[in-house]
Amino acid sequence: MIKVNSLTKKFGQNISLDNVSCEFKKNDYIALMGANGAGKTTLIRSILGYYHPDEGNVLINGLDPIKQRVEVLANISFVPQLPPPIKLSIEELMSYVSISSGIDKDLIKHYSNEMKLDINANMNKSFFKLSGGMKQKLLIAISLAKKSGIIIYDEPTANLDPKARDDFYRLLKQNEEDKVLLFVTHRLEEVEELVNRQIYMDLGTITSDERVS
Amino acid sequence: MKNLYLIAYLDLKESMRAKWFLVYSLVFGGLIALFFIAGVTESQVMGFSGLSRLLLMYIQITIVILPIFILITTVRSISGDRDNHILEYMLSFAISLRQYYWGKIIGRFVTVYMPVFLAMVIAIVYGSAIGAPIPWGIFFLYTGLLFALSSAFLGIAFFISSFVKSSEVALGIAFFVWIFLLAFIDIALISLMMQNRFNEELIITLALLNPMEIFRIAAISLFDPELTVMGPVAFTILDTMSQMKFVLLSIGYPILLGLAFAYAGFSIFKKKDLV
């Protein structure tokens, strides 16, 4: 589903990705790990089509995420490490994701309830004004409701309490079949039961790529 | 198209809730209220009186403050979203960059144009309620000029926003653009002419390229056929071009300029790294 071919990305003199090649197929559940500055976020952003590579390319189901971003992103769910300070109300944010990507609002509410987030009581509240945990729960609910073939999470549990983390992993377990699940994480123990592949990055390269049972 | 309108609608709603929009609306609405309270409509200076005088004063203040308001509130539109990672999340959905960029422009245009336009409408409604004659010609001219000026500076602001990575730098550039264009209305142009350092054609060209100068000349040209308060550059321009032709130029040119800058901004936006 995702094919990264000899990808190099530089920011000025700094090489963030150095000739990286890898492939993620259906039912690959990957923990992407590495120290800060290893190139994990750059790799994710390249998959999402945010960065123009200096060399090499990324293909998602054979499509270029920069040139065919609408088709590619229709099939990707993404949750960033820190929820951005979006000023839209929850109602407006739900309209945005629903109209742009065809996400069912009822399904967002369903997953929000599963994450113990009372969304109905906060519909007119600005997303920005929700607590860190509530924001993260809503973004996770949206990502699950999108029903994408590729789910990318950049440290998604940073703001979640232990109970919410359990809810999150339970929902993920129920929804991971036939998908590519890509976790950026520093805490392997948390996702160990979910993943079947571990990739370590350092200084812009993949230093190890192991299948685990 | 639905995504384009969705982005425009959401940007409009978000802007209308922002504090800057409240200040922006209060400034322009307050100006009109202040003029009425101060009795501007009853005074007469250099032959301007009633609502005409009020609209003239309004437009003269607008020339100076509207561009900087548009620049500082809009220039952070994309660079600000990039700065605080909103762009990273919002663009992870199936929205084309074209829809996102032009949707933002449409939404922001309505946001910046609506208060200045409504302030004039309020002036006309209130003026007619107190029995003042309505200068429709001036009203329609100013409506068109404000539309054109808003387009020009909105385009410039989005252009800056598209290539600047930090919103602080974007603000600095916006302020510089405003000061630079403000300097090149008659004050600086007159001094250049007086010093005879450049030939007249160059100075006239500089004046015609500056949307603020064009706006200023067009705004006052209906009032001052003797051109006594306009300055030498404005005098020369109107001496060589008919008033109608100049009014059309003063509306058409800033709109095209704004579109050209907005399009250049879009080209940069889609070719650069998004975050």
Side-chain angles (χ1 to χ4, degrees), chain A residues 79-83 114-117 131-141 144 153-172 183 187 190:
Chain A
V79 176
Q81 184 177 9
L82 291 172
E114 291 282 321
M115 292 289 297
K116 313 286 185 297
L117 171 65
S131 72
M134 289 167 88
K135 286 180 204 164
Q136 202 72 343
K137 285 177 184 178
L138 180 58
L139 297 191
I140 288 168
L144 294 171
Y153 288 131
D154 191 353
E155 288 273 354
T157 57
N159 283 312
L160 298 182
D161 57 47
K163 177 77 185 71
R165 285 180 195 187
D166 290 344
D167 289 332
F168 169 57
Y169 293 130
R170 173 178 55 80
L171 287 171
L172 211 51
F183 272 107
R187 292 179 290 236
E190 279 188 12

Side-chain angles (χ1 to χ4, degrees), chain B residues 22-69:
Chain B
L22 183 70
V23 173
Y24 180 79
S25 305
L26 281 175
V27 164
F28 288 101
L31 269 179
I32 294 290
L34 192 69
F35 291 156
F36 275 112
I37 292 164
V40 170
T41 47
E42 279 86 45
S43 65
Q44 183 163 347
V45 177
M46 294 187 72
F48 314 141
S49 63
L51 269 182
S52 306
R53 176 158 161 69
L54 182 142
L55 289 177
L56 178 68
M57 283 184 70
Y58 175 69
I59 215 78
Q60 283 185 318
I61 294 173
T62 305
I63 294 170
V64 179
I65 59 175
L66 181 65
I68 190 65
F69 257 117

Side-chain angles (χ1 to χ4, degrees), chain B residues 8 13 28 39-40 47 67 70-71 86 91 108 113 153 159 182 190 220 236 249 252 260 272 275:
Chain B
K13 282 193 86 172
F28 288 101
V40 170
I70 293 177
L71 285 170
I86 290 176
L91 288 179
R108 201 46 70 98
Y113 183 62
F153 282 93
F159 173 71
L182 201 60
I190 291 166
I220 208 167
T236 313
L249 174 78
K272 272 185 59 145
V275 291

Side-chain angles (χ1 to χ4, degrees), chain B residues 131-147:
Chain B
I134 309 295
W136 288 112
I138 293 168
F139 174 75
F140 287 121
L141 172 68
Y142 284 5
T143 302
L145 285 175
L146 286 175
F147 185 94

Side-chain angles (χ1 to χ4, degrees), chain A residues 9 45 50-52 69-70 73 78 80 84-89 92 96-97 99-101 139 146, chain B residues 2-3 7 13-14 17 84-86 88-96 270-275:
Chain A
K9 179 64 190 170
R45 289 177 173 176
Y50 294 161
Y51 289 147
H52 292 258
R69 60 171 278 119
V70 175
L73 292 175
F78 169 65
I86 298 166
K87 304 276 185 346
L88 300 176
S89 68
E92 289 160 356
Y96 174 78
V97 303
I99 295 171
S100 66
S101 299
L139 297 191
K146 197 173 174 188
Chain B
K2 71 178 192 320
N3 285 344
I7 300 285
K13 282 193 86 172
E14 193 182 312
R17 279 198 298 265
N84 53 31
H85 304 290
I86 290 176
E88 181 184 23
Y89 184 69
M90 299 304 264
L91 288 179
S92 71
F93 293 93
I95 292 261
S96 76
K270 69 178 182 183
K271 281 179 192 149
K272 272 185 59 145
D273 291 339
L274 288 174
V275 291

